Amino acid sequence: MESKKIRDHFVKYFEKQGHQHLPSSSLIPEDDPTLLFANAGMNQFKNKFLGLEKPESKRAVTVQKVVRAGGKHNDLENVGHTARHHTFFEMLGNFSFGDYFKDDAIAFAWEFLTQELAIPKEKLYVTVFESDDDAAEIWQKKIGVPKDKIYRFGEKDNFWRMGDTGPCGPCSEIFFDHGPNCYPGADKETMEDGGDRFVEIWNLVFMQFNEDGTGQKPLPSPSVDTGSGLERVAAVMQNQFNNYDTDIFSPIIRSAANQSKKDYVSDPHILKDDEEARKTTAAMRVVADHARATCFLIADGVLPSNEGRGYVLRRIMRRGIRYGRNLTDSQDLFSILVGTVIEQMSDFYPYLLDRKKIIMRNVQDETKRFLSTLDQGTDILNNQLKKLNPGDQLDTEVVFKLYDTFGFPVDLTRVMAEERNIKVDESAFEARMEESKAQARASWKGSGPDSDEQSLIAITHEVHKSSGDTEFTGYTETSETAQVLALLKGGDRSESLKKGDKGYIICDQTCFYAESGGQVGDTGFILSWAPDALAKVTDCQKKNGIFILSIEVLEGELKSQTEILQIVDESRRRAIMSNHSATHLLHAALRKVLGDHVTQAGSLVDATRLRFDFTHNQPLNQHEILAIESLVNEQVGASHSVQSSVKTYDQAVADGALALFGEKYEDEVRVIKMGPFSMELCGGTHVGNTNDIRVFKIVTETGVSSGVRRIEALTGNLAFNYLNQLTEQHKKLLQERNHRIDWKALSEPLNPEQFADSPIEDDILKLQAKIKNLEKSFKDVQSSQTDFDSLISQAHDFNIQGTSGRLVWAPLQLDDRKILSEMTDKIKDKVQSGIVVVIGQGEDSSPLIVSVTKDLSGSIKAGDVIKKITAITGGKGGGRPDFAQGAIQDRGNLDKAKADLIGGLN
């Protein structure tokens, strides 16, 4: 049976059982910071299982897109080397929200497999949680599975968790036996072995608990979450042992074989003895899988970058590209395979065709970018590896340089090193990464809500159950009377908030806009007269349909269940609206100037500026920036009325409205139209007329990540202030050169060539060159002023197990790792035989470098010295036997660390 038919069969079967067919959620989890990607079919129903949301139907069926390449569920390293692991796959699932439980869940699964798909019963085995007597009894007595085919396993195998927190419960799994001849050695395997012969094809999770970080709490009503991997079921139905040999992967692998002019070998008996065929087959499976993951991740709004989800995507892409390079020198292989995925999967996922341009452009750009550095980086890595012997460890600084300069993910470096039996210290690399991030003040962290946040979410659900969604009146009003439904202080409800208290207020209606879609929340004031009170509103957020105002009581006492007056800061709101409407005009102008491949990749709209991230593969030149500015300001001057309307999503898109890339929309959407120039789906607040924006000025244009650019701009008074500042500065510079204004040129269109021979620009370039030379001279002076002879004269002699040498301990007031490394080499050259420890002076952490002379590196390892020091000072590090580096946290313990090191050497 074809995979398309299995998918269709599954949905129709459960629809007949009263289940509502719901679409797959995005791979980017909505409002769930605990997850990197959707990793199970139940993710989109998390709040329904927790009893926090009322489901439209108590029964649901889905075909969910899943990525497991990060976080708790991470299959990346196994892909291509096993029969069943994938980074991207489709999860068939049926769900009960407090409706049926174990009896029906088990019966539905068995009937679908054995009757609808006609899988022989004798080929199936089941497992249950070790203490789940109910499930075992249902399988044996009601379904008729022989007792010797029912296995009990512990928490590791038969208790399912979505993540560290969230719904969980015991599970029962159905396994298919591929038979004793499916691959060499299979005849010796049993169910308990966990080998590939017996493959799980259905998991029935009996959701009974919620793991909240403090323990398991019973859910309001027991529910069912089931998952069946389409790829595994297809392998069963197509009589294939390996998922990669099904019709899901075969078109992609055929394309890889055709492009590479190499044979794909699927027979595991041949692969067992043919290493070359095994490598080729594994490479084809990797690129096929990674092409699928890449296609769907980009289609759902993830773009390659060096942080968060984008970094996981980049790892997948670059891993796929490198494995593809093992098959052929062609630079087009990976993008060709992604195109095959779009063609193959667009029947069930038609949006892939709509987003084909942006998918292909990002794949081609990332491929070009990676291949341009891959050869150079590979040469550097190979040269370093040639210097080492099997079993040696690669210098962490080399690993970091390959990542930082050449874009090598550390796992790629490890794979290439392991091919030569060279080790990579990934913990030392992580320490180096942390040091780099601290210096750059940049990091990405995904975490779950804290206890106050969890309480706040729970209270919003309580309010929602009794009062429904908060009514938002802010599109037309900036002041509004409202009834106080709840007051919160910390994570608890409170009957009142007094002067000086900070907390939250929830009302039946509000004119305060809640942060959403890149637009910040409104601020303002709240007045109460029974009793008298005044509170400042510092933010507005929205959770589960409820608007939550963050407040600080300035005077009096606010009480729950009383009437209040809400007043939005109108001046701030006008500035935000101006920036938001300008963002729409900017988006449209970018598409007209650069092309329709441009889509929004992120935004921030506040009262001071607008920030707009967009997909484009190269920096904008001055011509393009001026053209975009001119277009936006033309539309501002055209005085278009800004019109809003509510339509169905399909109707809005059919009318030409631009839907934002990767965004999830309801059935009904709000459309913002600005004359014939711009029409977008948007829930934000906007000016009434484009001339309210007054003026638009781009301040910066920079790169955010590969394929993503960022524009920051000003509107209104702040734009005028900025232009006036520039004018005054420019006038002073011109006056110093006795330069006269060319009045005629002001009436002509602005042309970047006017500035090509600017005398001011010449002066700036000369100054920059001078500064660069001065900086180099300063570093040379820093290095030369260090009294190496004095440091060596204070060295400590040691003799350990017959090995003599000198320990030079050098704490320096420098944080430049390159200079410190050069100094280490100079000291080592003078010492001739010994250990050199150089400690720099950093802000959050301090660089640590240890070098051991060649004659001692066989018995004293630089990495061991690093570990001994950081055990006392805190920090991490690692490297080669003769050279290691890291970072320490506490310089205050250096004397203790030094004494401990000296004591260990004697």
Side-chain angles (χ1 to χ4, degrees):
M1 184 183 288
E2 292 180 349
S3 56
K4 292 179 182 178
K5 290 183 179 178
I6 298 171
R7 193 193 284 130
D8 186 55
H9 230 55
F10 183 85
V11 171
K12 287 181 178 176
Y13 170 79
F14 280 100
E15 282 181 325
K16 283 190 283 187
Q17 309 303 327
H19 292 64
Q20 181 185 10
H21 180 205
L22 297 174
S24 169
S25 68
S26 169
L27 286 169
I28 304 174
E30 183 182 17
D31 297 328
D32 191 346
T34 66
L35 287 177
L36 198 60
F37 300 113
N39 62 14
M42 60 76 59
N43 294 158
Q44 65 173 309
F45 304 123
K46 181 178 177 181
N47 286 339
K48 295 177 176 62
F49 283 122
L50 291 172
L52 301 177
E53 285 181 14
K54 186 176 179 181
E56 299 172 30
S57 169
K58 287 201 167 185
R59 299 182 176 196
V61 59
T62 65
V63 180
Q64 174 65 46
K65 301 170 296 184
V66 171
V67 163
R68 292 187 177 175
K72 178 179 172 63
H73 300 280
N74 185 355
D75 293 338
L76 182 61
E77 293 303 317
N78 296 317
V79 169
H81 303 288
T82 72
R84 62 183 186 269
H85 283 102
H86 310 290
T87 52
F88 170 86
F89 61 95
E90 293 175 90
M91 183 74 83
L92 310 174
N94 60 288
F95 307 89
S96 163
F97 310 112
D99 186 22
Y100 61 83
F101 201 45
K102 294 180 182 179
D103 284 271
D104 285 341
I106 290 172
F108 287 150
W110 192 255
E111 181 178 66
F112 180 76
L113 291 176
T114 62
Q115 295 183 34
E116 296 292 319
L117 298 186
I119 296 174
K121 295 178 182 179
E122 62 270 18
K123 285 277 194 178
L124 300 176
Y125 293 74
V126 298
T127 67
V128 297
F129 185 50
E130 57 191 356
S131 60
D132 194 348
D133 295 332
D134 293 340
E137 185 174 321
I138 293 167
W139 279 117
Q140 186 182 354
K141 294 184 177 179
K142 295 187 179 181
I143 303 300
V145 176
K147 190 174 182 179
D148 63 354
K149 284 195 168 187
I150 302 172
Y151 292 79
R152 292 178 184 253
F153 291 121
E155 189 164 318
K156 178 177 177 290
D157 297 300
N158 277 78
F159 195 94
W160 194 90
R161 287 180 171 84
M162 184 181 76
D164 294 332
T165 60
C168 57
C171 63
S172 179
E173 298 173 321
I174 304 174
F175 283 75
F176 176 82
D177 179 7
H178 278 286
N181 299 316
C182 60
Y183 67 92
D187 58 323
K188 297 181 178 62
E189 284 190 2
T190 65
M191 268 286 291
E192 293 97 327
D193 295 333
D196 285 342
R197 170 180 167 177
F198 299 90
V199 176
E200 173 212 328
I201 58 172
W202 204 311
N203 188 8
L204 307 165
V205 182
F206 308 122
M207 290 292 187
Q208 295 176 243
F209 308 104
N210 176 40
E211 177 64 68
D212 64 2
T214 62
Q216 294 172 9
K217 309 290 192 305
L219 289 174
S221 54
S223 299
V224 171
D225 155 34
T226 81
S228 176
L230 174 63
E231 294 76 7
R232 297 184 182 192
V233 177
V236 170
M237 296 304 295
Q238 294 169 23
N239 197 29
Q240 299 291 342
F241 162 67
N242 197 301
N243 294 359
Y244 290 96
D245 298 331
T246 65
D247 67 343
I248 294 172
F249 290 92
S250 55
I252 314 169
I253 290 175
R254 267 198 310 273
S255 181
N258 291 337
Q259 292 295 320
S260 64
K261 305 284 192 297
K262 292 188 177 182
D263 293 330
Y264 172 75
V265 179
S266 61
D267 188 333
H269 296 84
I270 296 175
L271 293 173
K272 178 177 178 291
D273 300 317
D274 190 333
E275 184 178 357
E276 192 61 36
R278 194 163 58 247
K279 285 183 178 179
T280 299
T281 294
M284 289 185 185
R285 289 170 176 172
V286 169
V287 293
D289 172 272
H290 290 9
R292 280 161 47 91
T294 295
C295 177
F296 279 91
L297 282 170
I298 296 175
D300 278 7
V302 183
L303 296 172
S305 70
N306 279 338
E307 293 183 338
R309 295 184 179 102
Y311 179 56
V312 176
L313 171 59
R314 172 163 280 169
R315 286 179 65 196
I316 292 170
M317 294 177 75
R318 294 192 167 188
R319 194 169 185 265
I321 294 164
R322 181 180 178 265
Y323 270 96
R325 198 68 182 272
N326 291 344
L327 296 171
T328 174
D329 290 334
S330 169
Q331 295 191 12
D332 301 324
L333 177 63
F334 196 66
S335 61
I336 288 171
L337 299 189
V338 171
T340 303
V341 174
I342 295 172
E343 182 181 339
Q344 179 193 5
M345 302 292 282
S346 56
D347 283 349
F348 194 74
Y349 300 100
Y351 75 99
L352 293 178
L353 289 176
D354 299 334
R355 298 174 186 174
K356 182 175 180 178
K357 279 187 179 179
I358 192 167
I359 295 169
M360 297 307 295
R361 178 179 286 271
N362 272 278
V363 171
Q364 289 158 1
D365 288 348
E366 184 67 14
T367 301
K368 183 179 178 182
R369 185 176 290 105
F370 182 46
L371 289 179
S372 68
T373 59
L374 179 62
D375 290 338
Q376 188 179 357
T378 300
D379 287 343
I380 291 172
L381 179 55
N382 284 334
N383 287 335
Q384 292 294 323
L385 295 175
K386 285 176 185 175
K387 300 175 184 177
L388 303 175
N389 297 315
D392 285 350
Q393 185 168 289
L394 184 62
D395 182 5
T396 299
E397 196 61 24
V398 173
V399 180
F400 178 76
K401 181 181 178 181
L402 287 168
Y403 166 82
D404 194 45
T405 306
F406 300 99
F408 271 52
V410 66
D411 56 330
L412 176 56
T413 301
R414 175 172 47 75
V415 167
M416 295 176 70
E418 284 176 350
E419 290 172 356
R420 295 177 181 239
N421 196 24
I422 303 296
K423 298 173 186 175
V424 171
D425 188 342
E426 293 191 44
S427 62
F429 169 77
E430 291 299 329
R432 183 69 179 88
M433 280 285 292
E434 285 304 314
E435 181 187 355
S436 175
K437 286 181 179 180
Q439 290 172 350
R441 300 290 190 273
S443 64
W444 181 93
K445 294 182 180 179
S447 63
D450 57 25
S451 57
D452 283 355
E453 178 81 354
Q454 287 180 334
S455 299
L456 191 59
I457 292 170
I459 291 168
T460 61
H461 284 300
E462 290 175 17
V463 173
H464 193 274
K465 282 182 180 178
S466 59
S467 305
D469 289 350
T470 306
E471 182 184 353
F472 177 61
T473 63
Y475 290 137
T476 57
E477 307 295 333
T478 53
S479 63
E480 184 70 78
T481 57
Q483 187 77 13
V484 180
L485 300 180
L487 292 169
L488 298 88
K489 187 176 181 181
D492 302 316
R493 292 187 78 150
S494 176
E495 287 303 308
S496 67
L497 292 176
K498 297 179 181 179
K499 182 178 178 179
D501 285 345
K502 293 180 180 180
Y504 305 97
I505 185 169
I506 297 173
C507 302
D508 61 339
Q509 60 181 11
T510 185
C511 51
F512 283 84
Y513 180 82
E515 180 181 347
S516 179
Q519 179 177 329
V520 297
D522 280 333
T523 60
F525 294 92
I526 286 176
L527 293 172
S528 170
W529 47 89
D532 289 343
L534 171 66
K536 177 171 66 174
V537 178
T538 57
D539 191 18
C540 181
Q541 299 287 325
K542 183 180 178 183
K543 297 182 187 297
N544 308 309
I546 302 298
F547 285 64
I548 308 158
L549 308 184
S550 300
I551 60 171
E552 179 182 356
V553 180
L554 303 178
E555 297 291 342
E557 181 180 11
L558 272 178
K559 289 198 170 184
S560 187
Q561 307 305 318
T562 59
E563 192 173 69
I564 60 166
L565 175 65
Q566 305 171 355
I567 305 170
V568 172
D569 182 337
E570 284 194 68
S571 175
R572 182 175 180 273
R573 164 76 80 83
R574 281 195 299 271
I576 293 170
M577 292 193 303
S578 175
N579 286 334
H580 199 157
S581 297
T583 299
H584 283 223
L585 295 177
L586 171 61
H587 193 182
L590 284 165
R591 289 170 66 85
K592 290 185 187 303
V593 173
L594 304 178
D596 61 8
H597 65 276
V598 170
T599 58
Q600 180 172 329
S603 70
L604 172 66
V605 177
D606 62 23
T608 59
R609 61 178 172 144
L610 66 91
R611 188 181 74 201
F612 188 78
D613 297 346
F614 59 97
T615 55
H616 190 59
N617 62 346
Q618 59 189 23
L620 272 58
N621 59 45
Q622 198 63 29
H623 279 288
E624 291 166 332
I625 291 174
L626 292 175
I628 291 161
E629 275 188 342
S630 297
L631 259 180
V632 173
N633 283 309
E634 280 177 20
Q635 301 307 311
V636 169
S639 299
H640 296 304
S641 174
V642 177
Q643 301 169 330
S644 68
S645 59
V646 176
K647 301 179 180 181
T648 66
Y649 174 82
D650 290 339
Q651 183 60 55
V653 172
D655 290 345
L658 188 63
L660 297 188
F661 183 56
E663 193 76 16
K664 182 180 179 181
Y665 292 101
E666 301 296 332
D667 292 336
E668 284 200 332
V669 294
R670 185 165 176 260
V671 180
I672 300 296
K673 189 173 187 293
M674 301 180 191
F677 191 74
S678 168
M679 183 162 60
E680 283 191 25
L681 308 186
C682 181
T685 58
H686 289 272
V687 296
N689 191 291
T690 58
N691 65 21
D692 294 336
I693 298 170
R694 299 174 64 206
V695 67
F696 170 84
K697 178 62 184 172
I698 293 174
V699 178
T700 64
E701 191 277 331
T702 57
V704 178
S705 59
S706 66
V708 179
R709 306 297 300 173
R710 170 173 292 172
I711 280 178
E712 292 181 290
L714 303 172
T715 67
N717 286 340
L718 290 179
F720 277 118
N721 292 344
Y722 177 73
L723 290 169
N724 284 336
Q725 287 177 10
L726 291 181
T727 302
E728 290 303 311
Q729 292 167 3
H730 195 63
K731 278 167 62 178
K732 286 178 182 178
L733 290 170
L734 291 176
Q735 286 168 1
E736 287 180 11
R737 289 181 156 271
N738 297 317
H739 185 81
R740 298 174 65 96
I741 294 174
D742 185 347
W743 299 102
K744 183 182 178 184
L746 293 176
S747 63
E748 298 172 353
L750 203 55
N751 187 337
E753 269 74 23
Q754 290 174 235
F755 314 115
D757 299 317
S758 165
I760 296 173
E761 186 176 358
D762 287 342
D763 289 349
I764 291 171
L765 290 172
K766 287 175 184 176
L767 284 171
Q768 286 176 335
K770 189 173 183 181
I771 290 169
K772 189 174 181 181
N773 289 330
L774 286 171
E775 285 177 343
K776 184 179 183 303
S777 299
F778 177 68
K779 286 184 177 182
D780 292 342
V781 168
Q782 281 185 307
S783 179
S784 64
Q785 285 184 344
T786 301
D787 190 343
F788 297 115
D789 292 333
S790 174
L791 288 170
I792 293 169
S793 69
Q794 299 173 41
H796 298 266
D797 295 326
F798 63 83
N799 187 301
I800 179 168
Q801 296 179 352
T803 300
S804 298
R806 308 186 75 193
L807 169 67
V808 177
W809 184 272
L812 302 172
Q813 303 301 310
L814 298 172
D815 66 352
D816 190 309
R817 191 173 282 274
K818 185 177 178 183
I819 293 177
L820 292 171
S821 183
E822 290 171 355
M823 288 181 173
T824 305
D825 288 340
K826 289 179 180 178
I827 296 171
K828 186 172 71 170
D829 290 342
K830 287 178 176 287
V831 170
Q832 294 183 348
S833 181
I835 305 168
V836 179
V837 178
V838 172
I839 307 102
Q841 173 74 65
E843 193 171 323
D844 296 323
S845 63
S846 296
L848 170 64
I849 298 176
V850 174
S851 186
V852 179
T853 55
K854 286 286 184 184
D855 62 312
L856 300 181
S857 61
S859 55
I860 301 172
K861 309 296 183 188
D864 293 340
V865 176
I866 289 259
K867 288 174 184 174
K868 197 172 184 66
I869 295 170
T870 55
I872 295 172
T873 62
K876 290 182 181 179
R880 302 190 311 265
D882 64 322
F883 184 87
Q885 57 182 315
I888 65 169
Q889 300 298 323
D890 185 5
R891 278 179 61 100
N893 280 328
L894 282 179
D895 289 342
K896 184 179 179 183
K898 176 183 177 183
D900 187 70
L901 180 60
I902 293 171
L905 290 171
N906 292 299

